[in-house]
Amino acid sequence: MVLIGAGLAALQVFDLVYVIAPGPVQEDATVLATQMWLVSFGGGNDQGMGSALGVLLLLVVPAMVFNVRRFRRSQR
């Protein structure tokens, strides 16, 4: 359940970057979720690279959970 929640939280950044950053600087303001969408559907038409970025995004989640747990233990 935590994994699903963390994955959804990571993908929620997508809309903020896509909407807030103006067109000319959108490439410079990208995050992994935004890059995944742009490569797959936003004109790149490379679903293989988009899938690889999605897998990379899912591999980052366990490291994030580990760091959050370690941080909480150090706060006690």
Side-chain angles (χ1 to χ4, degrees):
M1 189 67 173
V2 172
L3 183 65
I4 293 170
L8 289 174
L11 288 173
Q12 285 177 349
V13 176
F14 163 76
D15 60 344
L16 294 175
V17 173
Y18 193 73
V19 171
I20 292 174
V25 297
Q26 226 168 28
E27 274 188 34
D28 298 332
T30 190
V31 294
L32 191 57
T34 308
Q35 188 65 29
M36 179 181 66
W37 185 83
L38 288 172
V39 168
S40 296
F41 309 110
N45 292 330
D46 189 1
Q47 280 79 27
M49 179 63 83
S51 297
L53 288 171
V55 169
L56 182 65
L57 184 65
L58 289 177
L59 292 177
V60 169
V61 171
M64 182 181 66
V65 170
F66 172 74
N67 284 332
V68 167
R69 286 183 180 173
R70 190 177 64 170
F71 178 74
R72 285 184 181 166
R73 272 188 254 142
S74 71
Q75 294 296 319
R76 291 182 188 171

